[in-house]
C-alpha cells in the first residue's frame, strides 16, 4: 500500500512509484484541508486518457483506492478538483 497525503492544497509527493503488472492500493489521506481532494491517473499530462478516477474525500478523511495493474511506463496523476496538485506515476 502506498499512502499519499493531501494538505495545504498540495500532495506530499510529486512521484508515485508503483509496481508494474500488479494491482495496488493507494491510500489518500486528506489531512485537515477545507477542500475535498481525490487522485486521478492519466496516460499523460494532456489528461485526455483517464486510467483511474478516485472518489473525492473531505478534509479529515481518508480512502483506499484499488488501482488496476498498469504496464511499465510513466503516467500522470492529479487531483481532479485542483489540477495544480499533480505529479508523475512511475510504474516499473
Ligand atoms: Cu484537491
Amino acid at each position: 500500500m502506498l499512502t499519499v497525503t493531501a494538505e495545504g492544497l498540495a500532495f506530499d509527493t510529486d512521484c508515485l512509484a508503483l509496481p508494474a503488472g500488479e494491482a495496488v492500493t493507494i491510500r489518500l489521506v486528506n489531512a485537515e484541508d477545507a477542500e475535498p481532494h481525490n487522485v486521478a491517473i492519466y496516460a499523460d499530462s494532456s489528461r485526455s486518457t483517464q486510467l483511474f478516477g478516485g472518489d473525492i474525500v473531505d478534509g479529515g478523511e481518508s480512502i483506499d483506492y484499488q488501482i488496476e495493474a498498469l504496464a511499465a511506463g510513466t503516467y500522470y496523476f492529479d487531483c481532479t478538483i485542483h489540477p495544480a496538485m499533480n505529479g508523475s506515476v512511475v510504474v516499473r
Side-chain angles (χ1 to χ4, degrees):
M1 164 136 54
L2 185 65
T3 299
V4 181
T5 299
E7 185 165 28
L9 290 177
F11 290 121
D12 65 347
T13 181
D14 62 3
C15 184
L16 305 180
L18 302 180
E22 278 180 42
V24 292
T25 301
I26 296 179
R27 172 169 294 172
L28 171 63
V29 177
N30 184 344
E32 294 294 337
D33 273 6
E35 293 280 332
H37 301 296
N38 77 338
V39 171
I41 298 174
Y42 303 88
D44 56 52
S45 61
S46 73
R47 303 170 84 235
S48 54
T49 302
Q50 182 174 278
L51 304 174
F52 174 81
D55 289 341
I56 289 164
V57 288
D58 291 325
E61 297 179 2
S62 65
I63 190 169
D64 287 352
Y65 296 135
Q66 312 303 325
I67 311 292
E68 299 285 313
L70 292 168
T74 302
Y75 304 86
Y76 182 82
F77 76 99
D78 71 5
C79 168
T80 305
I81 304 164
H82 308 103
M85 299 170 63
N86 63 60
S88 298
V89 181
V90 177
V91 180
R92 62 186 171 199

